[in-house]
């Protein structure tokens, strides 16, 4: 297996393990998508951590695979289909319905960083390298990177990182808002965060995430009202409100 799903208590873990750098080919996309889907529907899983079994988190698309298409007349169409599959896999991760955390303990570049951008939270080691270097080899981030990165940090930093093909370390990534935390011990920090998030009421978490995603639209305020009105009628919210007032 090149992407393995496992569970420890309420924590689900997707472990990337394809030699040498967890690059995505079609089989890796299939394995990754299946692992995420398995944990997303597991009622015992409260949060999902994406991690690597290797020194590199993920180096993105398999460049050797892409280069093997060099003399094929449908090379462009193959790349478009491949990018579409990556976009679909990362969109499924983004909409998993549970907190998702990218534990970036090594380089996350190209599609590897695009994978991390599809997670709710990103934790990186101080010295890890992150970025979208595709323009430097004559391409562009085609697995959602131009869209998610721009929404996350704005056009200015997106220009710097995408058009400049700049790689930054984890500390700089935290300063730019690319990751939420830069730490020395990524596995411990990711587990601590995942355990806290796994205890959040699922309905409230999902509703708040939808409102955050709608923040750049005119419908954001109306969605807030609609979501909070629905939440107040749930048993989980009633129970937690009663516990809070009883303190």
């Amino acid at each position: 297996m090149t992407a393995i799903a496992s569970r420890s208590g309420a924590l689900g873990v997707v472990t990337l393990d394809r030699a040498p750098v967890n690059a995505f080919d079609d089989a890796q996309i299939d394995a990754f998508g299946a692992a995420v889907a398995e944990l997303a529907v597991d009622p015992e899983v409260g949060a999902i951590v994406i991690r690597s079994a290797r020194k590199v988190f993920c180096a993105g698309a398999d460049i050797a695979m892409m280069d093997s298409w060099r003399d094929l007349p449908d090379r462009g169409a193959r790349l478009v289909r491949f990018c579409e599959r990556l976009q679909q896999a990362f969109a499924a991760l983004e909409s998993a319905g549970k907190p998702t955390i990218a534990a970036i303990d090594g380089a996350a570049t190209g599609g590897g960083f695009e994978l991390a951008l599809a997670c709710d939270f990103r934790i990186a080691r101080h010295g890890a390298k992150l970025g979208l270097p595709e323009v430097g080899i004559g391409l562009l981030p085609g697995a959602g990177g131009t869209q998610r990165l721009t929404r996350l940090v704005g056009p200015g930093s997106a220009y710097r990182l995408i058009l400049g093909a700049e790689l930054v370390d984890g500390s700089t990534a935290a300063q730019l808002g690319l990751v939420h935390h830069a730490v020395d011990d990524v596995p411990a920090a990711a587990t601590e965060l995942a355990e806290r998030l796994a205890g959040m009421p699922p309905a409230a978490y999902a509703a708040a995430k939808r409102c955050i995603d709608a923040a750049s639209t005119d419908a954001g305020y109306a969605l807030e009202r609609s979501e909070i009105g629905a939440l107040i009628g749930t048993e989980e919210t009633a129970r937690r409100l009663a516990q809070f007032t009883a303190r």
Side-chain angles (χ1 to χ4, degrees):
M1 292 292 289
T2 54
I4 304 164
S6 61
R7 184 168 67 82
S8 176
L11 301 188
V13 179
V14 175
T15 302
L16 305 176
D17 191 9
R18 181 184 181 232
V21 290
N22 293 327
F24 276 100
D25 61 1
D26 284 315
Q28 177 76 335
I29 294 174
D30 289 340
F32 176 77
V36 171
E38 177 183 336
L39 296 175
V41 299
D42 187 334
E44 301 299 320
V45 170
I48 301 171
V49 176
I50 312 296
R51 62 174 294 273
S52 170
R54 302 185 173 273
K55 291 182 179 180
V56 169
F57 176 75
C58 179
D62 189 328
I63 301 299
M65 174 196 68
M66 293 165 58
D67 189 53
S68 72
W69 301 337
R70 181 184 312 173
D71 299 322
L72 299 178
D74 64 342
R75 184 184 189 187
R78 283 173 179 259
L79 183 55
V80 168
R81 287 196 296 271
F82 181 73
C83 287
E84 183 178 21
R85 294 201 67 214
L86 277 175
Q87 288 180 353
Q88 291 170 345
F90 296 164
L93 172 64
E94 190 173 43
S95 60
K98 298 177 180 181
T100 54
I101 302 165
I104 307 170
D105 209 8
T109 56
F113 188 47
E114 290 175 293
L115 184 165
L117 288 171
C119 291
D120 296 343
F121 293 88
R122 288 163 293 284
I123 298 176
R125 180 166 48 82
H126 285 292
K129 295 298 182 183
L130 303 91
L132 299 171
E134 287 90 341
V135 168
I137 59 171
L139 294 170
L140 58 78
T146 63
Q147 306 304 296
R148 290 192 178 93
L149 183 64
T150 304
R151 291 200 301 267
L152 180 66
V153 296
S157 290
Y159 272 40
R160 170 180 170 177
L161 293 158
I162 296 174
L163 302 186
E166 182 178 353
L167 297 181
V168 299
D169 62 23
S171 299
T172 303
Q175 294 170 4
L176 292 173
L178 304 174
V179 302
H180 297 85
H181 306 285
V183 300
D184 293 319
D185 190 340
V186 169
T191 298
E192 180 181 359
L193 176 59
E195 288 176 344
R196 178 161 61 87
L197 294 175
M200 297 293 175
Y205 185 96
K209 183 178 176 179
R210 287 191 292 270
C211 289
I212 292 171
D213 290 342
S216 60
T217 72
D218 293 337
Y221 290 103
L223 183 61
E224 275 189 348
R225 298 191 299 271
S226 173
E227 295 284 10
I228 200 168
L231 286 170
I232 194 65
T234 65
E235 292 183 6
E236 176 69 10
T237 296
R239 182 179 65 81
R240 288 180 179 250
L241 286 174
Q243 288 177 340
F244 184 83
T245 56
R247 290 176 184 173

